[in-house]
Amino acid sequence: MEGLKKDVIRHVVSSLGSDYASKSAYNYYNALALAVRDRLIDNWIKTQRSYYDEKAKRVYYLSLEYLPGKSLMNNLHCLGIYETARKAMSDLGFSLEDLAEQEWDAGLGNGGLGRLASCFLDSMATLGIPGYGYGIRYDYGIFHQVIEDGKQVEQADNWMRVGNPWAYERGQHLFPVRFFGEVKNWTDEYGRLRHTWTAGDTVLAMPCDMLVPGWDNHHVINMRLWSARSDVEFDLDFFNTGNYLGAVEEKIFDEKISKVLYPSDQIEEGRELRLKQQYFFVTATIQDILRRFRKKHQDMTELPQSVAIQLNDTHPAIAIAELMRILLDEDLLDWEVAWDICVSTFAYTNHTILPEALETWPVSLLERMLPRHMQIIYEINARFLREVERVARSEDCGQLCHRDLDHLKQRVSLIQERPIKSVRMAHLAIIGSHSVNGVAALHTELLKARVFDDFQRLYPQKINNKTNGVTPRRWLWSANQPLSRLIASHIGTGFVRNLDELTQLEPLAADPAFREAWRAAKLENKQRLQAYIKRKLMRELHTEHLFDVHIKRIHEYKRQVLNLLHVVTAYNRLRHGQAADFTPRTVFFGGKAAPSYFMAKRIIHAINAVAATVNADSRVNDKLQVVYLPNYCVSQAERVIPATELSEQISTAGMEASGTGNMKFALNGALTIGTWDGATIEMAQAIGPELLFIFGMREDELVSLRQHGYNPMLYYHGDEELREALDMLRSDAFSPGQHGLFAPLVDNLLHGGDRFFVLADYRQYLGAQQDVGRLYLDQEEWTRRSILNAARMGFFSSDRAISQYAREIWDVAPMAGLQNGKGA
Ligand code: NBY
């Protein structure tokens, strides 16, 4: 402890240039972080050296998004120095919790996809898999949300301003990135047709490394984030011609590439700068991968034995064309050889079946910005379509008439002609990869049967499932110390590395003393949340209420509106004195809306309006309260999830690819109210469906309802309570003086076709909520179920997910000596 204390003081003085006697929490947080980083870097160097010495096969995880959140507590726990640090800092006059508050969330992602990437890095580090995360260091991460007059207002997330003590900027290792320019076709002295991409603009990519430690195993992997740097400093022409200000302007223009994260999830923006970000990130990453590969290898055909590249959705899919370009134009390989290398190296993870989220880029834009890549994509497509023709003709079912074949080719082509001629990035990712995976069983089945059915017939082995998981280090151990300590006191700490060990809790569910201790841990977390809400929102929570929580991005398919209709109905019953047996509850909502997503923003407004009305009504507010948690983010999730008793996972069946919040809640002892969707289905199977509150129509039922003509008006007319709730929303009951404010929401349901079947599931949802309320009155039974839920969550560890990727997709093994904890 004395060592750590000394190091902290030294950093306050020599790294931060401050007086150690001035007790600034900000300085002491930074100094502690630097002292922790010192302890990581030795292990990082040893880890990297061992990969090199053993010629280990590396895994590269390419993701435009990461959501690491805060690093301090997690890193202390992984290094096993949490207690030491707590004592050291308390000697210096600080509480560790207060110091941790100083850290800014690294919000380099939108939601589940980015958070999954961070959980996966944690698991690779813990399992000892030679992994690297690659991404972009956005100067501005996901916007900061404030609620003003009930509405979302976005503020810039200037996380770089406060500095980042965890990162190593490596300004000396810059990689050039070219845009625009032209392709010269020429013939070399052997008579071969060659292609050279020249001219255009150049920008530089600067690596910035963040270290990711494994749990108690001395293994530290790297997350390398690229930042755009202009190369105009090196462009002497500018200075010589006296155009100094011009040079500076161009520099600022170039560095815009990594300026800001695009804040839309599930809707693609199709903006030129976004494509620039993708290619900037991809070419720097591929150059870095090949630089490392070439240190030990000359023969490019060995690449797939040494390198696996996982594409996190299609956002980095241009990597396939980029690797082809390098292999063809720089290494001069034949097409077939280069293509085999690509396909064997790449794998692609799909995270959505929503049509509006499937990425396409206009051919005209690609031709201008990446002319050589567009040529290559055309060639990939031509060869692919010839192959399709060959396979289709050779098939037994080959009564394919020309018409059918033409349709098939149009459907699978990399190029779509309408509404504008564009490249389908998902098709490029599928054709260029040896593995395409969905992220939960149902999702993968829908990929095979619906979205990518043609590809499933063409490549029956390619599409596979890897159900998502979450890291128990952050989401149980670090976020929920009260519960973790209780669990550890009965079954030891092995569950942190091997989550299946939680099954040892099952017999304890029958033990009244254990149940009481389990409830006490939940209450401690609820009280902690209560104190936080009081500090932040100046609201007093009732800890004896059932804490019912719905936190995730705001999207129509996630159906926050369904929850809101339940709240309004509960409010009406209480007002009308029809709810004598109502179980008191506080309903929490939280989540960001894409700034351009009108309906999502209006939903936030409606939730806040209902909250204001309900909370101000003294007839009901001792029984029902509604809280909107502004700025939902990773660190807020770490506070809220451990305090939650009911987890809302109520998306329209078939729409949520997996969900990962669902797992975090159940792991922390919340019961789930949810639909037959995503990984919630697998949770119900693992836990026992009778221990969750599953309701609503299934995916296939919705398909046939749609086919037979879904008429939301029937539900409206057939259900008095539903009608009352909708009419109130449409009138100004929650928006006094602003008649019609929420009419778009209601109209969307009644006259817009209710695309996400809110009305169809309303009545069943109410029934399930009734069951929840009733069960909560029986605290012994509730607790028993809570324990069993957590005990059966072992499968949903990201360690299990990553082990499957490693075995079934990447063909890599954990580093020797690292599998079981103590490493080299
Ligand atoms: O990925 C989420 C899924 O909705 C969720 O069900 C799943 O559990 C999770 C991890 O597999 N998808 C998601 O978070 N997507 C995005 O954040 C996203 C971000 C950007 C874009 C598209 C989707 N984009 O096109 O720019």
Side-chain angles (χ1 to χ4, degrees), residues 65 110-113 116 264-266 268 274 315 351 439 468 557 656-660:
E65 304 195 7
N110 274 291
L113 173 148
L116 184 77
S264 306
D265 68 322
Q266 312 291 351
E268 60 131 354
R274 167 81 177 171
H315 317 151
H351 297 267
V439 290
N468 283 166
Y557 85 81
E656 188 70 271
S658 161
T660 45

Side-chain angles (χ1 to χ4, degrees), residues 44 98 218 396 547 669 820:
W44 183 82
D98 290 348
H218 303 273
D396 291 341
F547 278 15
N820 296 312

Side-chain angles (χ1 to χ4, degrees), residues 539-603:
R539 291 259 319 255
E540 195 70 56
L541 297 183
H542 300 306
T543 52
E544 70 285 1
H545 275 201
L546 164 69
F547 278 15
D548 170 348
V549 178
H550 200 171
I551 44 179
K552 50 182 81 244
R553 286 296 289 246
I554 309 297
H555 202 294
E556 288 159 274
Y557 85 81
K558 294 176 188 280
R559 299 201 296 190
Q560 280 90 358
V561 168
L562 179 58
N563 189 341
L564 193 62
L565 288 173
H566 167 247
V567 170
V568 172
T569 306
Y571 175 57
N572 289 338
R573 288 181 187 174
L574 286 166
R575 279 191 310 138
H576 302 156
Q578 296 162 345
D581 58 346
F582 187 79
T583 303
R585 67 166 87 195
T586 298
V587 185
F588 299 80
F589 290 88
K592 294 175 183 175
S596 59
Y597 188 173
F598 166 82
M599 200 57 83
K601 291 182 118 173
R602 199 51 65 92
I603 291 170

Side-chain angles (χ1 to χ4, degrees), residues 583-633:
T583 303
R585 67 166 87 195
T586 298
V587 185
F588 299 80
F589 290 88
K592 294 175 183 175
S596 59
Y597 188 173
F598 166 82
M599 200 57 83
K601 291 182 118 173
R602 199 51 65 92
I603 291 170
I604 292 178
H605 198 172
I607 295 169
N608 280 291
V610 170
T613 308
V614 171
N615 298 340
D617 191 333
S618 59
R619 292 169 299 177
V620 306
N621 63 11
D622 59 330
K623 290 214 160 177
L624 179 63
Q625 296 239 344
V626 184
V627 178
Y628 200 92
L629 300 163
N631 200 41
Y632 177 57
C633 58

Side-chain angles (χ1 to χ4, degrees), residues 388-390 392-393 397-411:
V388 169
E389 196 156 322
R390 198 185 58 74
R393 289 191 194 286
C397 59
Q399 306 101 337
L400 274 171
C401 65
H402 274 290
R403 229 180 100 79
D404 288 341
L405 183 57
D406 283 349
H407 281 154
L408 173 65
K409 282 162 69 176
Q410 277 167 25
R411 288 198 305 269

Side-chain angles (χ1 to χ4, degrees), residues 61 64-65 67 109-117 120 261-270 274 278 312-315 349-352 354 356-359 438-440 443 466 468 553 557-558 655-663 677-679 805:
Y61 198 80
L64 266 286
E65 304 195 7
L67 276 178
N110 274 291
L113 173 148
R115 182 53 232 175
L116 184 77
F120 279 5
L261 166 79
Y262 277 89
S264 306
D265 68 322
Q266 312 291 351
I267 303 169
E268 60 131 354
E269 292 254 355
R274 167 81 177 171
Q278 295 183 348
N312 199 21
D313 217 295
T314 55
H315 317 151
T349 305
N350 173 287
H351 297 267
T352 186
L354 286 181
E356 61 267 40
L358 294 177
E359 244 189 328
V439 290
H443 170 57
K466 298 287 169 282
N468 283 166
R553 286 296 289 246
Y557 85 81
K558 294 176 188 280
M655 299 285 178
E656 188 70 271
S658 161
T660 45
N662 46 2
M663 303 170 189
D677 200 17
Y805 277 85

